[in-house]
Amino acid sequence: MSGRRDGPLMRSGGSSHPFRKSRIAAAIAVGVAIGCVFAFLFPDGLFSVAGPRRLVTADSKGGSSSSSCESSERMNMLKSEYVAASQKNAELKKEVRELMEKLKLAERGNDQAQKQVLALGKQQKAGPFGTVKGSRTNPAVVPDESVNPRLAKILEKVAVNRELVVALANSNVKEMLEVWFTNIKRVGILNYLVVALDEDTAKFCESNRVPVYKRDPDEGVDSIGRKGGNHAVSGLKFRILREFLQLGYSVLLSDVDIVYLQNPFDHLYRDSDVESMTDGHDNRTAYGFNDVFDEPGMGWARYAHTMRIWVYNSGFFYIRPTIPSIELLDRVAARLSRENAWDQAVFNEELFFPSHNGYDGLHAARRTMDFYLFMNSKVLFKTVRKDASLSKIKPVIVHVNYHPDKLPRMKAVVEYYVNGKEDALKPFPDGSGW
């Protein structure tokens, strides 16, 4: 600014310089003088809260006492202002803490809501009464072939419509495995794969032209795979299946004590994260019922209503490649790694337990399979074989999960449903002999 203002003056000629300098010097002198006067008269500033300071002279009567009284009053006023400000500050701090807590809660709720929006898509208005239905079908994850490129190539060849049957097996179940894949082939299922947990099983599958996948060495898995019993091997599937889902494939997980009588892919709904067969044996136990608990000591309130359902069978379920499905596998695998627990119990607890204080439940959609089509061995041996009308139903699969004499019962199921031998099931008791 000064450079632009001084330019024309410099061009008016050299004779103006002495005069301009004298005006500037005079202005500076006047400013300094006025500043000194104000500094003397108003040492606390021109706009001091206490007002201009009184000039004390030798002629002022009682000047010292007046100044002392004024200082005392000012100190008292400052103290009261400090106390009031401290109280106000404490109130403001409390309000800030409360607002921060509310903000955290709001962010937590917003995070959950945002996840739902991302999962379900565009927000919608509610329709008329009786027409509103929530979505239970979560979107599939984006396939990530970098997780396991070798498995990705195998699945590309084996899977049909990006879904397949998968079974884990070791040499301990070789005879049941043979019945398993023989009936799969007979039904005409092409999209199936055996995850071999030892070298003997891999060679056995290859010799029978059965699609097989042998994982890369992992001592934590391989030691159980080689020597583990039925339950130990069953627990491995939750870790192994994760890669299938990450690669973008839906999996129909199958134990090997299952006889296939129809193609299960023709009987799936595919509208939920998990679609599982049940251990239930009738409509109530399979699909849920209101179980009334009676406690006479409570008098008027003696009857307590509870909801009950028989568990899902973790040896036969269809699982889609969604975020809730992968979270389910992670939860179950993590618990099995640190707890001495049965995988089926943990599987159901994670699927069904609701959110509560200190625990966030799994938000996975689930569907129970038709228990006459996806039949457990209790339904078959205790009910169906004794009922003329039910005996005419042809199941999709029969899972020999309720009985320890699995192999002979599997063979009897084949004789009964495939070869038409009507008395094939008669030699077996409803339950087990022990």
Side-chain angles (χ1 to χ4, degrees):
M1 292 291 288
S2 61
R4 290 196 298 273
R5 187 174 62 247
D6 291 343
L9 294 175
M10 291 177 67
R11 288 195 297 271
S12 64
S15 61
S16 64
H17 279 240
F19 178 78
R20 183 166 57 84
K21 288 180 179 179
S22 62
R23 284 196 303 170
I24 293 172
I28 292 173
V30 171
V32 170
I34 293 173
C36 290
V37 171
F38 272 89
F40 180 78
L41 293 176
F42 305 98
D44 295 325
L46 184 62
F47 300 101
S48 173
V49 176
R53 187 176 179 180
R54 293 179 60 190
L55 182 62
V56 180
T57 64
D59 297 333
S60 299
K61 295 181 179 181
S64 293
S65 61
S66 175
S67 176
S68 175
C69 181
E70 184 180 293
S71 298
S72 177
E73 289 176 357
R74 180 168 175 74
M75 284 295 295
N76 291 334
M77 182 182 66
L78 289 173
K79 286 180 180 179
S80 62
E81 288 180 356
Y82 175 78
V83 171
S86 298
Q87 292 175 346
K88 185 65 176 177
N89 187 49
E91 292 174 0
L92 289 172
K93 284 183 177 180
K94 183 180 179 181
E95 289 180 13
V96 168
R97 285 196 302 269
E98 292 175 351
L99 289 172
M100 289 298 293
E101 291 297 323
K102 290 179 180 179
L103 181 60
K104 289 179 181 178
L105 291 173
E107 287 177 345
R108 188 184 305 169
N110 184 59
D111 183 54
Q112 295 296 329
Q114 185 65 24
K115 288 179 181 178
Q116 290 294 319
V117 170
L118 291 174
L120 301 178
K122 186 179 179 181
Q123 289 179 292
Q124 301 176 1
K125 292 182 178 179
F129 180 82
T131 66
V132 176
K133 287 187 177 181
S135 174
R136 64 185 61 83
T137 307
N138 288 310
V141 298
V142 177
D144 183 6
E145 293 189 2
S146 65
V147 170
N148 190 330
R150 184 166 68 89
L151 178 59
K153 291 180 180 179
I154 295 173
L155 296 181
E156 189 176 350
K157 296 177 182 178
V158 174
V160 175
N161 296 325
R162 299 192 73 81
E163 58 185 11
L164 72 162
V165 179
V166 175
L168 277 66
N170 61 14
S171 54
N172 293 335
V173 295
K174 184 180 292 186
E175 290 182 288
M176 284 193 292
L177 178 61
E178 186 172 14
V179 176
W180 181 84
F181 67 65
T182 298
N183 283 278
I184 281 183
K185 291 180 178 181
R186 181 185 54 76
V187 171
I189 301 170
L190 301 175
N191 48 333
Y192 70 101
L193 181 69
V194 174
V195 178
L197 299 176
D198 54 40
E199 196 61 40
D200 288 343
T201 302
K203 292 178 180 178
F204 177 68
C205 289
E206 289 169 355
S207 65
N208 286 275
R209 306 185 70 178
V210 171
V212 64
Y213 165 62
K214 181 72 167 61
R215 299 178 73 254
D216 292 334
D218 182 342
E219 187 56 32
V221 173
D222 295 343
S223 59
I224 299 174
R226 289 190 301 267
K227 304 174 183 178
N230 188 40
H231 283 177
V233 170
S234 184
L236 290 176
K237 61 189 168 222
F238 298 99
R239 291 176 58 182
I240 294 173
L241 283 183
R242 193 185 204 278
E243 291 184 343
F244 288 78
L245 269 58
Q246 284 183 278
L247 292 169
Y249 290 87
S250 296
V251 173
L252 183 58
L253 188 279
S254 173
D255 282 352
V256 296
D257 57 345
I258 293 176
V259 177
Y260 285 76
L261 302 170
Q262 298 185 61
N263 190 330
F265 293 109
D266 296 335
H267 300 272
L268 297 176
Y269 285 82
R270 301 176 178 85
D271 64 346
S272 303
D273 298 302
V274 177
E275 194 169 343
S276 178
M277 75 169 292
T278 173
D279 274 1
H281 52 88
D282 56 23
N283 284 333
R284 283 162 51 86
T285 57
Y287 309 134
F289 65 101
N290 180 11
D291 185 32
V292 181
F293 176 76
D294 184 10
E295 189 177 1
M298 287 297 295
W300 177 82
R302 64 182 292 179
Y303 299 112
H305 290 256
T306 69
M307 302 305 298
R308 294 193 64 188
I309 186 172
W310 261 228
V311 295
Y312 282 176
N313 191 287
S314 63
F316 190 86
F317 60 87
Y318 179 80
I319 185 166
R320 296 179 56 247
T322 66
I323 292 298
S325 295
I326 295 173
E327 183 183 359
L328 170 64
L329 298 181
D330 288 351
R331 284 176 177 233
V332 176
R335 284 188 56 185
L336 292 176
S337 69
R338 63 177 184 268
E339 299 176 17
N340 183 22
W342 182 25
D343 69 280
Q344 180 161 294
V346 175
F347 175 70
N348 279 272
E349 288 171 1
E350 294 299 335
L351 266 177
F352 285 95
F353 281 179
S355 297
H356 54 267
N357 185 33
Y359 175 78
D360 290 330
L362 180 71
H363 296 280
R366 54 191 183 271
R367 171 181 283 275
T368 306
M369 293 176 173
D370 186 320
F371 71 93
Y372 282 129
L373 294 180
F374 298 90
M375 191 181 294
N376 63 60
S377 56
K378 180 178 181 178
V379 173
L380 175 61
F381 286 95
K382 189 176 180 180
T383 306
V384 170
R385 67 172 175 169
K386 302 174 184 179
D387 188 297
S389 59
L390 292 177
S391 297
K392 296 176 182 178
I393 299 173
K394 186 177 183 180
V396 176
I397 61 106
V398 173
H399 188 180
V400 187
N401 61 315
Y402 268 100
H403 301 88
D405 49 340
K406 296 179 181 298
L407 184 59
R409 289 188 187 245
M410 289 177 71
K411 292 179 178 179
V413 169
V414 174
E415 289 295 319
Y416 183 80
Y417 283 107
V418 178
N419 300 328
K421 189 176 179 180
E422 294 183 0
D423 61 349
L425 304 176
K426 288 183 179 180
F428 300 92
D430 291 352
S432 62
W434 49 276

